[in-house]
Coordinates of all heavy atoms in Angstrom, one line a residue:
M21 N -5.0 17.9 -6.2 CA -4.2 16.8 -5.7 C -5.2 15.7 -5.2 O -6.2 16.0 -4.6 CB -3.4 17.2 -4.5 CG -2.6 16.1 -3.9 SD -1.6 16.6 -2.5 CE -0.4 17.7 -3.2
P22 N -4.9 14.4 -5.6 CA -5.8 13.4 -5.2 C -5.8 13.1 -3.7 O -4.7 13.2 -3.1 CB -5.3 12.1 -6.0 CG -4.0 12.5 -6.4 CD -3.9 14.0 -6.4
A23 N -6.9 12.8 -3.1 CA -7.0 12.5 -1.7 C -6.4 11.1 -1.5 O -6.6 10.2 -2.3 CB -8.4 12.6 -1.2
L24 N -5.8 10.9 -0.3 CA -5.3 9.5 0.0 C -6.5 8.7 0.4 O -7.3 9.1 1.3 CB -4.3 9.6 1.1 CG -3.0 10.3 0.8 CD1 -2.1 10.4 2.0 CD2 -2.2 9.6 -0.3
G25 N -6.6 7.5 -0.1 CA -7.7 6.6 0.2 C -7.2 5.4 1.0 O -6.0 5.2 1.1
H26 N -8.1 4.6 1.5 CA -7.7 3.4 2.1 C -7.8 2.3 1.1 O -8.8 2.1 0.5 CB -8.6 3.2 3.3 CG -8.5 4.2 4.4 ND1 -7.5 4.2 5.3 CD2 -9.2 5.3 4.7 CE1 -7.6 5.3 6.1 NE2 -8.7 5.9 5.7
T27 N -6.7 1.5 1.0 CA -6.7 0.4 0.0 C -6.3 -0.8 0.8 O -5.4 -0.8 1.6 CB -5.6 0.7 -1.1 OG1 -6.0 1.9 -1.7 CG2 -5.6 -0.5 -2.1
A28 N -7.0 -1.9 0.5 CA -6.7 -3.2 1.2 C -5.4 -3.7 0.6 O -5.2 -3.7 -0.6 CB -7.9 -4.1 1.0
V29 N -4.6 -4.3 1.4 CA -3.4 -5.0 1.0 C -3.4 -6.3 1.7 O -3.6 -6.4 2.9 CB -2.1 -4.2 1.4 CG1 -0.9 -5.0 1.0 CG2 -2.1 -2.8 0.7
Y30 N -3.1 -7.3 0.9 CA -3.1 -8.7 1.4 C -1.7 -9.3 1.4 O -1.0 -9.0 0.5 CB -4.1 -9.6 0.6 CG -5.5 -9.2 0.7 CD1 -6.0 -8.2 -0.1 CD2 -6.3 -9.7 1.7 CE1 -7.3 -7.8 0.0 CE2 -7.6 -9.2 1.9 CZ -8.1 -8.3 1.0 OH -9.4 -7.9 1.1
Q31 N -1.4 -10.1 2.4 CA -0.1 -10.7 2.5 C -0.3 -12.2 2.5 O -1.1 -12.8 3.2 CB 0.6 -10.3 3.8 CG 2.0 -11.0 3.9 CD 2.7 -10.6 5.2 OE1 2.2 -9.7 5.9 NE2 3.7 -11.2 5.6
C32 N 0.4 -13.0 1.6 CA 0.3 -14.4 1.5 C 1.7 -15.0 1.4 O 2.7 -14.3 1.0 CB -0.5 -14.8 0.3 SG -2.0 -14.0 0.1
K33 N 1.8 -16.3 1.5 CA 3.0 -17.1 1.2 C 2.7 -17.8 -0.1 O 1.7 -18.6 -0.1 CB 3.4 -18.0 2.3 CG 4.0 -17.4 3.5 CD 5.4 -17.2 3.3 CE 6.1 -16.8 4.6 NZ 7.5 -16.5 4.5
T34 N 3.5 -17.7 -1.2 CA 3.3 -18.4 -2.4 C 4.6 -19.0 -2.8 O 5.6 -18.2 -3.0 CB 2.8 -17.4 -3.5 OG1 1.5 -16.8 -3.1 CG2 2.5 -18.1 -4.8
N35 N 4.7 -20.3 -2.9 CA 5.9 -21.0 -3.3 C 7.1 -20.6 -2.4 O 8.2 -20.3 -2.8 CB 6.3 -20.7 -4.8 CG 5.2 -21.2 -5.7 OD1 4.6 -22.3 -5.5 ND2 5.0 -20.5 -6.8
G36 N 6.8 -20.4 -1.1 CA 7.8 -20.1 -0.1 C 8.2 -18.6 -0.1 O 9.0 -18.2 0.7
Q37 N 7.5 -17.8 -0.9 CA 7.8 -16.3 -1.0 C 6.7 -15.5 -0.4 O 5.5 -15.9 -0.5 CB 8.0 -15.9 -2.4 CG 9.1 -16.6 -3.2 CD 10.5 -16.0 -2.8 OE1 10.6 -14.9 -2.4 NE2 11.5 -16.9 -2.8
T38 N 7.0 -14.5 0.3 CA 6.0 -13.6 0.8 C 5.5 -12.7 -0.3 O 6.3 -12.1 -1.0 CB 6.5 -12.7 2.0 OG1 6.9 -13.6 3.0 CG2 5.4 -11.8 2.5
V39 N 4.2 -12.6 -0.5 CA 3.6 -11.9 -1.7 C 2.6 -10.9 -1.1 O 1.9 -11.2 -0.2 CB 2.9 -12.8 -2.6 CG1 2.2 -12.1 -3.7 CG2 3.8 -13.9 -3.2
F40 N 2.6 -9.6 -1.6 CA 1.7 -8.6 -1.3 C 0.8 -8.3 -2.5 O 1.3 -8.3 -3.6 CB 2.4 -7.3 -0.8 CG 3.2 -7.6 0.4 CD1 4.5 -7.9 0.3 CD2 2.6 -7.4 1.7 CE1 5.3 -8.1 1.4 CE2 3.4 -7.6 2.8 CZ 4.8 -8.0 2.7
S41 N -0.5 -8.2 -2.3 CA -1.4 -8.0 -3.4 C -2.6 -7.1 -3.0 O -2.9 -7.0 -1.8 CB -1.9 -9.4 -3.8 OG -2.9 -9.2 -4.9
D42 N -3.3 -6.5 -4.0 CA -4.5 -5.8 -3.6 C -5.7 -6.6 -3.6 O -6.8 -6.2 -3.3 CB -4.6 -4.6 -4.6 CG -4.8 -5.1 -6.1 OD1 -4.5 -6.3 -6.4 OD2 -5.3 -4.3 -6.9
Q43 N -5.5 -7.9 -3.9 CA -6.6 -8.9 -3.8 C -6.1 -10.1 -3.0 O -4.9 -10.4 -3.0 CB -7.0 -9.4 -5.2 CG -7.6 -8.2 -6.0 CD -7.9 -8.7 -7.4 OE1 -7.8 -9.9 -7.8 NE2 -8.3 -7.8 -8.3
P44 N -7.0 -10.9 -2.4 CA -6.5 -12.1 -1.7 C -5.7 -13.0 -2.6 O -6.2 -13.2 -3.7 CB -7.8 -12.8 -1.2 CG -8.8 -11.6 -1.1 CD -8.4 -10.7 -2.2
C45 N -4.5 -13.4 -2.2 CA -3.6 -14.1 -3.1 C -3.5 -15.5 -2.8 O -2.6 -16.2 -3.3 CB -2.3 -13.3 -3.1 SG -1.7 -12.8 -1.5
G46 N -4.2 -16.0 -1.9 CA -4.2 -17.4 -1.5 C -5.1 -17.7 -0.3 O -5.7 -16.8 0.2
E47 N -5.2 -19.0 0.0 CA -6.0 -19.4 1.2 C -5.5 -18.8 2.5 O -6.3 -18.6 3.4 CB -6.1 -20.9 1.3 CG -6.9 -21.5 0.1 CD -7.0 -23.0 0.3 OE1 -6.8 -23.6 1.4 OE2 -7.2 -23.7 -0.7
D48 N -4.2 -18.5 2.6 CA -3.7 -18.0 3.8 C -3.6 -16.4 3.8 O -3.0 -15.8 4.6 CB -2.3 -18.5 4.1 CG -1.3 -18.1 3.0 OD1 -1.7 -17.8 1.9 OD2 -0.1 -18.1 3.3
A49 N -4.3 -15.8 2.8 CA -4.3 -14.3 2.7 C -4.7 -13.7 4.0 O -5.6 -14.0 4.6 CB -5.2 -13.9 1.6
R50 N -3.8 -12.7 4.3 CA -4.1 -11.9 5.5 C -4.1 -10.5 5.2 O -3.2 -9.9 4.6 CB -2.9 -12.2 6.5 CG -3.1 -11.6 7.9 CD -2.1 -12.1 8.8 NE -0.7 -11.7 8.3 CZ 0.2 -11.0 9.0 NH1 -0.1 -10.6 10.2 NH2 1.3 -10.7 8.5
R51 N -5.2 -9.8 5.5 CA -5.3 -8.4 5.2 C -4.4 -7.6 6.2 O -4.5 -7.8 7.4 CB -6.8 -7.9 5.3 CG -7.0 -6.5 4.9 CD -8.4 -6.2 4.8 NE -8.6 -4.8 4.4 CZ -9.7 -4.3 4.1 NH1 -10.8 -5.0 4.2 NH2 -9.8 -3.0 3.7
I52 N -3.6 -6.7 5.7 CA -2.7 -5.9 6.5 C -3.0 -4.4 6.3 O -3.6 -4.0 5.3 CB -1.2 -6.2 6.3 CG1 -0.8 -5.9 4.8 CG2 -0.9 -7.6 6.6 CD1 0.6 -6.0 4.5
Q53 N -2.6 -3.6 7.3 CA -2.9 -2.2 7.2 C -1.5 -1.5 6.9 O -0.5 -1.7 7.5 CB -3.4 -1.7 8.5 CG -3.8 -0.3 8.5 CD -5.0 0.0 9.3 OE1 -5.3 -0.8 10.2 NE2 -5.8 1.0 9.1
V54 N -1.6 -0.7 5.9 CA -0.4 0.1 5.4 C -0.6 1.5 5.7 O -1.7 2.0 5.2 CB 0.0 -0.2 4.0 CG1 1.2 0.6 3.5 CG2 0.2 -1.7 3.7
K55 N 0.3 2.2 6.3 CA 0.1 3.6 6.6 C 0.9 4.4 5.5 O 2.0 4.0 5.2 CB 0.6 4.0 8.0 CG -0.2 3.4 9.1 CD 0.3 3.8 10.4 CE -0.5 3.2 11.5 NZ -0.1 3.5 12.8
A56 N 0.3 5.5 5.1 CA 1.0 6.4 4.1 C 2.2 7.0 4.8 O 2.1 7.3 6.0 CB 0.1 7.4 3.6
P57 N 3.3 7.2 4.1 CA 4.5 7.9 4.7 C 4.1 9.3 5.1 O 3.3 9.9 4.4 CB 5.5 7.8 3.6 CG 4.8 7.6 2.4 CD 3.5 6.9 2.7
A58 N 4.9 9.9 6.0 CA 4.7 11.3 6.4 C 5.1 12.1 5.2 O 6.0 11.9 4.5 CB 5.5 11.6 7.6
R59 N 4.3 13.2 5.1 CA 4.6 14.1 4.0 C 5.6 15.1 4.4 O 5.5 15.8 5.5 CB 3.3 14.8 3.5 CG 3.5 15.7 2.4 CD 2.2 16.2 1.9 NE 2.4 17.2 0.9 CZ 1.5 17.9 0.4 NH1 0.2 17.8 0.8 NH2 1.8 18.8 -0.6
I60 N 6.7 15.3 3.6 CA 7.7 16.3 3.9 C 7.6 17.5 3.0 O 7.4 17.3 1.8 CB 9.1 15.6 3.8 CG1 9.2 14.4 4.7 CG2 10.2 16.6 4.0 CD1 10.5 13.6 4.6
G61 N 7.7 18.6 3.6 CA 7.5 19.8 2.7 C 6.1 20.3 2.8 O 5.2 19.6 3.3
G62 N 5.8 21.4 2.3 CA 4.5 21.9 2.4 C 3.8 22.4 1.2 O 2.6 22.6 1.1
G63 N 4.6 22.7 0.2 CA 4.0 23.4 -0.9 C 4.2 22.7 -2.3 O 5.0 21.8 -2.4
S64 N 3.4 23.1 -3.2 CA 3.6 22.6 -4.5 C 4.6 23.4 -5.3 O 4.8 24.6 -5.0 CB 2.2 22.7 -5.2 OG 2.3 22.4 -6.6
M65 N 5.3 22.8 -6.2 CA 6.2 23.5 -7.0 C 5.6 24.0 -8.3 O 6.2 24.7 -9.1 CB 7.4 22.5 -7.5 CG 8.2 22.0 -6.3 SD 9.0 23.3 -5.4 CE 10.3 23.7 -6.6
L66 N 4.3 23.8 -8.5 CA 3.6 24.4 -9.6 C 3.6 25.9 -9.7 O 3.4 26.5 -8.6 CB 2.1 23.9 -9.7 CG 2.0 22.4 -9.8 CD1 0.5 22.0 -9.7 CD2 2.5 21.9 -11.1
G67 N 3.9 26.4 -10.8 CA 3.9 27.9 -11.0 C 5.1 28.6 -10.5 O 5.2 29.8 -10.6
K68 N 6.1 27.8 -10.1 CA 7.4 28.5 -9.7 C 8.4 28.2 -10.7 O 8.6 27.1 -11.2 CB 7.8 27.9 -8.3 CG 6.9 28.2 -7.2 CD 7.4 27.7 -5.9 CE 6.5 28.0 -4.7 NZ 7.0 27.6 -3.5
S69 N 9.1 29.2 -11.1 CA 10.2 29.1 -12.1 C 11.5 28.9 -11.3 O 11.6 29.4 -10.2 CB 10.2 30.3 -13.0 OG 10.4 31.5 -12.3
G70 N 12.4 28.2 -11.9 CA 13.6 28.0 -11.2 C 14.8 28.0 -11.9 O 15.9 27.8 -11.6

């Protein structure tokens, strides 16, 4: 399973719209912090027949 990493997310206003991007999207780009959602459940379904 891949490890969760930290990725930069930028928020800007473009043509009156709020835009989110992985790169600065304008002069007003603001880096924001996004938290990963809580994980529900505990196991993998791999190897289980159903």
Side-chain angles (χ1 to χ4, degrees):
M21 179 181 293
L24 294 175
H26 296 281
T27 302
V29 176
Y30 296 88
Q31 178 180 352
C32 311
K33 287 274 190 182
T34 302
N35 298 325
Q37 299 286 327
T38 300
V39 176
F40 297 93
S41 177
D42 62 344
Q43 298 178 3
C45 41
E47 291 182 18
D48 65 337
R50 185 172 60 124
R51 187 174 179 170
I52 61 173
Q53 187 144 19
V54 178
K55 294 182 181 179
R59 185 173 172 187
I60 299 174
S64 170
M65 296 298 286
L66 295 176
K68 294 184 181 181
S69 60

